[in-house]
Amino acid sequence: MKLVDAHCHFDFPFFDGRRAWELEVAFDEGLVGLVIPGVRQRDWVRVRDTAQAYAGLYYCLGVHPWYVGEHSDEALMALDRALRARPERCVAIGECGLDRLHGNMSNQYPWFEAQVGLASELGYPLVIHSVRAHDEVHATLRRTNWSGRALVHGFSGSYQQASKLVDLGCSIGVGGIITTSRSRKTRDTIARLPLEALVLETDAPDMAPEGVEVGANSPVHLRRILECLSDIRGESVDYVASVVFSNTKLLYGETLW
């Protein structure tokens, strides 16, 4: 069994002093790698260095909608320069997107659209943060004629919203929320979508599974999310693991793991 954590903030200070141990435990549970999203320019070096320090780890560069106010046009130019250099182990642009609950979406749109355009031009996948904004994300991808690969991470919308995103070529990130008692709508959505549209993620240290302390999530818990997904769908753990592993390779790169 091979598992990849498609979205894990493994560079965050929460993991300082414990990364090697966390990976050792997670690898014992089937993990073979993870992808670290970038959220703001000042963290890009840390994201890169964390990924390059361990086998099987890759990273993204991008500006998260929460932090657009910290950046100027120079950051977009720096992102453009960095990505055109095709840096080793950089596999996607993100985390970018829209968030109705944090900040002003009118300020977020230009940053999201710019990163969508850059991904289209350079052929990178997108890692998308979408909170109460799935329809707007879909409309933006349609308006910009998006035709590449994308991960809508931490999805918690409706089946109809998910289906529209999948029809555009998006993968849907399945995380710890499906283990909680309050996630009936998300569990129903995940059960009905094609398995080929799903990838596993932890969003660690956030998005903790039920029973894990808030802010203390880890790639160690990815196997538990897999088992919950298997139960929701009524499909064997080995089968689900095989398909979502293939999905993740298709999203980020067939030769990565």
Side-chain angles (χ1 to χ4, degrees):
M1 182 182 298
K2 295 181 178 179
L3 303 177
V4 173
D5 190 341
H7 187 105
C8 175
H9 296 280
F10 204 55
D11 64 304
F12 278 18
F14 172 79
F15 293 107
D16 288 354
R18 54 190 292 168
R19 288 187 180 86
W21 177 84
E22 294 274 0
L23 287 176
E24 181 179 357
V25 175
F27 285 169
D28 285 344
E29 293 292 323
L31 190 79
V32 296
L34 55 83
V35 177
I36 308 170
V39 296
R40 51 188 171 190
Q41 184 180 14
R42 74 185 194 191
D43 296 340
W44 290 347
V45 171
R46 186 183 71 195
V47 168
R48 179 201 66 194
D49 290 350
T50 302
Q52 292 182 345
Y54 303 95
L57 273 60
Y58 296 87
Y59 72 98
C60 319
L61 294 178
V63 177
H64 189 291
W66 290 7
Y67 304 112
V68 296
E70 297 181 12
H71 297 79
S72 67
D73 289 344
E74 188 279 330
L76 284 177
M77 292 186 288
L79 181 62
D80 185 295
R81 290 193 300 269
L83 293 167
R84 288 182 190 279
R86 302 290 173 177
E88 183 182 4
R89 300 208 194 185
C90 182
V91 295
I93 294 178
E95 160 179 10
C96 59
L98 301 171
D99 191 323
R100 187 179 301 279
L101 301 184
H102 196 291
N104 187 325
M105 282 180 56
S106 64
N107 295 333
Q108 298 168 12
Y109 267 110
W111 289 88
F112 182 38
E113 292 176 355
Q115 290 174 90
V116 172
L118 190 56
S120 292
E121 180 182 354
L122 299 180
Y124 280 98
L126 281 170
V127 174
I128 299 174
H129 172 102
S130 177
V131 175
R132 303 283 180 90
H134 301 314
D135 293 335
E136 290 82 359
V137 165
H138 177 267
T140 300
L141 295 177
R142 284 286 302 273
R143 185 172 62 252
T144 56
N145 297 312
W146 173 255
S147 61
R149 306 178 308 282
L151 166 63
V152 180
H153 105 88
F155 186 85
S156 60
S158 69
Y159 171 74
Q160 291 73 21
Q161 289 172 319
S163 295
K164 289 170 62 177
L165 290 164
V166 169
D167 287 345
L168 282 183
C170 295
S171 299
I172 301 299
V174 180
I177 189 173
I178 68 168
T179 69
T180 68
S181 57
R182 66 180 184 277
S183 65
R184 184 167 58 183
K185 181 177 73 172
T186 302
R187 289 164 63 96
D188 175 69
T189 295
I190 296 307
R192 296 168 64 190
L193 288 173
L195 185 57
E196 291 74 18
L198 308 180
V199 299
L200 295 173
E201 61 172 332
T202 63
D203 196 28
D206 297 320
M207 210 162 74
E210 192 167 52
V212 176
E213 183 181 351
V214 174
N217 196 11
S218 162
V220 168
H221 300 301
L222 194 68
R223 174 65 180 259
R224 180 180 169 195
I225 297 168
L226 165 68
E227 292 171 350
C228 185
L229 177 61
S230 168
D231 182 64
I232 289 169
R233 295 184 61 90
E235 298 165 321
S236 75
V237 170
D238 286 342
Y239 174 69
V240 172
S242 175
V243 174
V244 296
F245 178 66
S246 296
N247 298 344
T248 310
K249 286 166 64 72
L250 183 63
L251 171 64
Y252 286 125
E254 292 286 355
T255 64
L256 298 187
W257 297 284

